Amino acid sequence: MLCNHYAALLSSAATAGRSAAHVAAAVHCLVLRTLPHPPPTHLLNHLLTAYGKAGRYALARRLFDAMPQRNIYTYNALLTTLAHARLLHDMEALFASMPERDAVSYNAFITGFSGAGEPARAARAYRALLREDTSIRPSRITMSAMVMAASALGDRALGRQFHCQILRLGFGAYAFVGSPLVDMYAKMGLIRDAKRIFDELEGKNVVMYNTMITGLLRCKMVQEARQLFEVMTDRDSITWTTMVTGLTQNGLELEALGVFRRMRVQGIAIDQYTFGSILTACGALSALEQGKQIHTYTMRTCYDDNIFVGSALVDMYSKCRSIRLAEAVFRRMTFRNIISWTAMIVGYGQNGCSEEAVRAFSEMQKDGIDPDDFTLGSVISSCANLASLEEGAQFHCLALVSGLMSYTTVSNALVTLYGKCGNIEDAHRLFDEMSFHDQVSWTALVSGYAQFGKAKETIDLFEKMLSKGVKPDGVTFIGVLSACSRAGFVEKGRSYFYSMQKDHGIVPIDDHYTCMIDLYSRSGRLKEAEEFIKQMPMRPDAIGWGTLLSACRLRGDMEIGKWAAENLLEIDPQNPASYVLLCSMHAAKGEWGEVARLRRGMRDRQVKKEPGCSWIKYKNKVHIFSADDQSHPFSKGIYEKLEWLNSRMVEEGYKPDVSSVLHDVADADKVHMLSHHSEKLAIAFGLMFVPKEMPIRIVKNLRVCVDCHNATKFISKVTGRDILVRDAVRFHKFSNGVCSCGDFW
């Protein structure tokens, strides 16, 4: 009687959750004190099982080793314990030492491998069962585990073999086996096979329906999933979450929001996965208000501090361009993992806060969290946006040391980094070292060459990409079209534009149309640019009109320039480009009255021109300069260096281009204004401090003016220094009096 009582206590302890270990230990003490030694084997088997389910694996092993008598149930209990603990080496040793085995032994052995993410070893164990123990008939549990192993391996042939064996064993009608089969075929893209199995199963339960809906949504069969969802009479929270997640993943975010509302109305319990999916939908839609409402709901349901939900909130606010709200959520999180940090770092990058992205990465490292390939790729992309080669190179070293260099995500980001920082040779070398190139890899290198003004290399690389069978995307074509524009390849650029639509099925967006406007405008074919705009299916955006207006200023075409300016003002009345460029055109003709009128219009409308500034990084500090800047600690030396440069440049034949000075003053005053432009101050600082063997790297927020471009060529010649300038449009590499753009800029 006492044995039976203890056995009942141990059986209940096995399902007691956290208290199971305490109950098992207490009963163990009672057994030792009240029963003769040794206790009955069947009671010790119960105790062994209780320790195993409580996660006390060492105690279970010690008890097993101390048992004087063992039977197959004893071995199976420890084998199951080791399988759950994923102690595969111990599990294999115990399995090999077993004097006899039954179906339970093989089930524990096979599911141990399968649960530990070793599907190939699970398959080998199953083959051993068929080969060595022909007397043991595989059970439904065995076949279910094998189907899941085939699914994990993505092996269609193996999966079909297991399916045939299931039918031969007579398990085909069982939902326990049918559900993994449906899931396996759906994951392998064999959705028709999955649907056939589902239709043939009798007594389908909610798990089966959920599996089938998941498969349909995974294969983008949204209508079929929708129909199956609607005919279900019994839906659980997983059903609803599956629909919300699947619709979001298929780009139907609005419908996902509708399903979520129905879920709430019906009082279905919402968990972290539902919140994660619906917040992803809000982020994709930039639906800030709905996202805020769901955030409030997570607070009411105590999910706001959940690490999964918190990360989703950070991502949602970032995509809704509310980076400070994302930051507030992130800072309030009690626990953060690599997903949380990555969401914040990516969010900073997406919102133009690249410096904060780099700082957050350093903070993450101080917290003891190692980056994964996506996190490292994201922070390298932020360095690329900052044109910060020094920090980017440090992350390159980290990629090599951490072993993340082999990930395409990281390699692609590094190719982009070196391309954007003007090290196109290093970018190409990295590209050549990559074992695999995807669309992003090719596009990164194509764009790098395009930004550097190397049109022939850009086009050759693009043609090589096509010959390799890699499909270009819209970003690739932006690089190719801009390269054609900068080199004056009008016919080739036009051919690529129409090929993009006809041969590659890419619908042009504003950026592609702007490239085409630039293509015609740079070549002086302003009438063709005008005709192209009139034939466009939509009006150009502000950048498109600004591009045409800028070309009109250079060519002195007042008629088309006014047309472009009027349209630019209509689209964006606060855009200073229309005023500034028109002022420049009138100033070039000496029409100072018109210049004054335009300036009054700017004042009346409170339109402010973005001040030009240039910066250079030296010893991990960014030095920022504006025109006539006297605030720098080394201003005296900088202006002395400029005076020396000006005298040397004049000796070499430099003549200041005063056409860009929009003030009615004497030419001498205009020359003085030009000599103190921000990029010249930054270059002078670089000449003073950057070692001679290193190039001087300057970044400017606006486009380099004609005079500064010409002056920088002379500076590179008289000093023998390479100077790289990244402006708002492209890269310029000045070396020995020549610019990489070939002056077709």
Side-chain angles (χ1 to χ4, degrees):
M1 285 291 290
L2 203 53
C3 281
N4 292 338
H5 176 64
Y6 290 154
L9 285 174
L10 290 169
S11 295
S12 63
T15 58
R18 291 182 180 179
S19 63
H22 299 296
V23 174
V27 173
H28 195 174
C29 291
L30 287 171
V31 168
L32 294 175
R33 284 207 315 265
T34 60
L35 294 180
H37 189 77
T41 301
H42 79 278
L43 183 58
L44 293 178
N45 288 346
H46 276 291
L47 184 58
L48 181 57
T49 302
Y51 276 137
K53 290 193 175 180
R56 304 300 294 269
Y57 309 122
L59 286 175
R61 182 76 211 207
R62 200 180 307 155
L63 177 63
F64 175 87
D65 292 339
M67 288 175 66
Q69 293 180 328
R70 304 172 191 144
N71 55 28
I72 192 167
Y73 302 105
T74 315
Y75 280 95
N76 286 345
L78 184 60
L79 193 67
T80 304
T81 295
L82 296 173
H84 286 161
R86 298 184 180 180
L87 299 169
L88 302 188
H89 179 74
D90 292 342
M91 182 185 77
E92 283 185 287
L94 181 67
F95 185 80
S97 70
M98 290 177 70
E100 59 175 323
R101 304 179 187 120
D102 60 8
V104 175
S105 314
Y106 275 97
N107 287 343
F109 193 53
I110 290 167
T111 54
F113 285 126
S114 185
E118 297 280 355
R121 294 171 76 179
R124 285 199 295 273
Y126 177 75
R127 292 190 187 100
L129 163 65
L130 298 181
R131 185 176 59 252
E132 297 167 9
D133 287 303
T134 54
S135 61
I136 298 174
R137 186 174 183 266
S139 68
R140 284 177 287 168
I141 297 173
T142 316
M143 298 315 301
S144 177
M146 293 324 303
V147 169
M148 287 188 276
S151 179
L153 289 167
D155 191 329
R156 291 186 179 186
L158 187 64
R160 290 194 186 281
Q161 288 176 25
F162 291 142
H163 189 186
C164 290
Q165 289 174 18
I166 286 166
L167 294 174
R168 281 205 305 270
L169 291 165
F171 298 148
Y174 289 96
F176 185 81
V177 179
S179 187
L181 273 173
V182 170
D183 185 61
M184 178 193 75
Y185 281 125
K187 283 180 178 174
M188 291 178 179
L190 303 170
I191 194 64
R192 299 299 169 195
D193 290 333
K195 187 74 168 64
R196 179 173 50 78
I197 293 167
F198 176 80
D199 291 338
E200 290 173 357
L201 283 168
E202 297 177 1
K204 291 185 275 285
N205 58 22
V206 69
V207 176
M208 284 295 304
Y209 275 97
N210 291 345
T211 304
M212 190 67 238
I213 290 171
T214 302
L216 291 167
L217 289 167
R218 190 183 290 124
C219 294
K220 302 190 180 301
M221 298 176 70
V222 178
Q223 183 58 30
E224 289 84 348
R226 211 182 271 129
Q227 290 171 353
L228 195 59
F229 175 79
E230 295 300 341
V231 300
M232 286 180 69
T233 55
D234 181 24
R235 305 185 191 112
D236 60 11
S237 62
I238 296 173
T239 317
W240 289 91
T241 301
T242 298
M243 282 302 294
V244 170
T245 305
L247 291 169
T248 301
Q249 290 171 346
N250 280 280
L252 298 168
E253 292 88 1
L254 276 174
E255 190 175 345
L257 279 168
V259 172
F260 180 75
R261 289 189 195 100
R262 285 175 60 189
M263 185 179 182
R264 286 188 62 187
V265 168
Q266 294 192 23
I268 306 297
I270 296 173
D271 62 13
Q272 59 179 350
Y273 304 108
T274 322
F275 280 126
S277 295
I278 200 62
L279 287 167
T280 300
C282 291
L285 291 168
S286 296
L288 181 59
E289 289 309 311
Q290 288 94 326
K292 284 181 176 179
Q293 291 170 16
I294 292 165
H295 186 183
T296 304
Y297 190 49
T298 66
M299 294 169 74
R300 288 207 308 268
T301 52
C302 301
Y303 270 104
D304 58 314
D305 198 38
N306 177 284
I307 195 167
F308 186 84
V309 175
S311 302
L313 282 166
V314 171
D315 180 65
M316 182 273 294
Y317 280 126
S318 299
K319 286 177 178 170
C320 291
R321 317 300 292 179
S322 297
I323 192 63
R324 297 309 160 206
L325 289 175
E327 192 177 55
V329 170
F330 180 77
R331 296 299 172 197
R332 281 199 301 265
M333 290 175 69
T334 308
F335 302 103
R336 303 180 195 127
N337 60 8
I338 185 63
I339 298 170
S340 321
W341 282 101
T342 301
M344 193 69 253
I345 291 166
V346 171
Y348 279 134
Q350 289 171 341
N351 285 271
C353 305
S354 298
E355 289 184 16
E356 290 173 82
V358 175
R359 278 200 296 270
F361 186 89
S362 299
E363 194 180 336
M364 179 190 80
Q365 288 183 301
K366 288 175 186 173
D367 267 13
I369 295 177
D370 294 324
D372 60 11
D373 60 306
F374 192 63
T375 321
L376 187 56
S378 298
V379 77
I380 291 170
S381 297
S382 290
C383 290
N385 293 333
L386 291 168
S388 179
L389 183 62
E390 293 163 2
E391 283 177 315
Q394 290 173 18
F395 290 127
H396 187 174
C397 293
L398 177 60
L400 292 167
V401 171
S402 63
L404 294 173
M405 193 68 202
S406 59
Y407 287 89
T408 309
T409 327
V410 176
S411 298
N412 288 345
L414 284 167
V415 171
T416 303
L417 167 77
Y418 286 113
K420 284 189 174 182
C421 290
N423 282 27
I424 197 64
E425 295 83 6
D426 287 341
H428 206 141
R429 179 181 54 78
L430 265 171
F431 178 86
D432 289 339
E433 289 172 0
M434 291 171 66
S435 57
F436 171 75
H437 302 118
D438 61 8
Q439 183 190 74
V440 178
S441 318
W442 286 97
T443 298
L445 196 59
V446 166
S447 300
Y449 273 109
Q451 266 204 328
F452 219 75
K454 294 181 176 289
K456 183 181 181 302
E457 290 88 341
T458 303
I459 291 166
D460 289 346
L461 193 64
F462 178 69
E463 292 295 341
K464 187 177 179 181
M465 174 184 180
L466 295 178
S467 70
K468 296 281 186 181
V470 181
K471 187 174 175 61
D473 63 3
V475 179
T476 321
F477 274 101
I478 289 170
V480 174
L481 291 173
S482 62
C484 291
S485 171
R486 285 158 188 161
F489 297 161
V490 178
E491 299 308 320
K492 187 171 280 291
R494 184 158 46 195
S495 170
Y496 280 132
F497 179 75
Y498 292 113
S499 168
M500 176 182 79
Q501 302 170 72
K502 182 182 175 184
D503 301 329
H504 301 281
I506 298 171
V507 179
I509 60 173
D510 285 335
D511 289 343
H512 299 114
Y513 286 113
T514 298
C515 285
M516 289 302 293
I517 294 168
D518 193 45
L519 179 74
Y520 290 119
S521 301
R522 279 179 186 266
S523 301
R525 296 158 75 160
L526 297 174
K527 279 289 180 187
E528 288 182 67
E530 183 184 13
E531 288 302 314
F532 178 80
I533 289 171
K534 289 177 178 177
Q535 293 171 13
M536 283 171 56
M538 82 281 278
R539 295 175 68 192
D541 61 6
I543 299 173
W545 287 116
T547 300
L548 179 61
L549 181 55
S550 180
C552 290
R553 181 187 68 81
L554 287 171
R555 304 286 174 179
D557 193 322
M558 188 66 77
E559 182 186 348
I560 296 178
K562 284 184 176 178
W563 176 64
E566 287 166 3
N567 280 281
L568 179 55
L569 281 172
E570 187 180 336
I571 291 173
D572 187 2
Q574 295 301 115
N575 192 320
S578 53
Y579 295 98
V580 173
L581 291 170
L582 277 176
C583 279
S584 180
M585 293 170 73
H586 286 297
K589 294 177 180 290
E591 298 170 350
W592 297 108
E594 284 297 311
V595 172
R597 185 184 64 78
L598 286 165
R599 283 186 171 154
R600 279 196 303 274
M602 286 182 73
R603 282 196 300 271
D604 293 343
R605 292 178 176 84
Q606 295 183 328
V607 177
K608 293 183 179 179
K609 178 182 178 293
E610 182 183 2
C613 64
S614 302
W615 58 92
I616 179 172
K617 195 166 188 178
Y618 176 65
K619 288 189 174 179
N620 288 325
K621 184 179 178 182
V622 177
H623 299 263
I624 303 174
F625 299 89
S626 56
D628 287 313
D629 196 344
Q630 302 280 344
S631 63
H632 198 278
F634 293 98
S635 283
K636 187 174 182 294
I638 289 169
Y639 281 98
E640 287 174 356
K641 178 67 76 172
L642 276 179
E643 290 300 319
W644 177 82
L645 285 171
N646 283 328
S647 62
R648 288 295 312 277
M649 289 192 296
V650 169
E651 289 173 11
E652 291 291 333
Y654 164 68
K655 292 182 180 179
D657 185 339
V658 298
S659 63
S660 59
V661 180
L662 308 182
H663 296 277
D664 187 12
V665 295
D667 281 357
D669 292 324
K670 291 181 179 180
V671 170
H672 178 77
M673 291 177 182
L674 288 172
S675 66
H676 296 166
H677 272 195
S678 65
E679 50 265 63
K680 291 177 182 174
L681 296 173
I683 290 170
F685 175 87
L687 289 168
M688 291 169 62
F689 292 100
V690 176
K692 290 183 178 180
E693 62 274 10
M694 293 177 66
I696 297 168
R697 300 177 182 276
I698 309 294
V699 182
K700 182 166 184 180
N701 64 329
L702 304 177
R703 189 173 180 179
V704 175
C705 73
V706 176
D707 178 72
C708 287
H709 184 272
N710 191 36
T712 308
K713 288 198 299 181
F714 277 95
I715 293 171
S716 70
K717 183 178 181 181
V718 300
T719 61
R721 299 291 296 269
D722 285 350
I723 303 170
L724 282 87
V725 179
R726 178 180 167 184
D727 66 12
V729 178
R730 54 160 299 161
F731 250 107
H732 302 268
K733 182 179 181 180
F734 300 91
S735 184
N736 197 29
V738 179
C739 180
S740 60
C741 70
D743 290 349
F744 202 101
W745 65 286

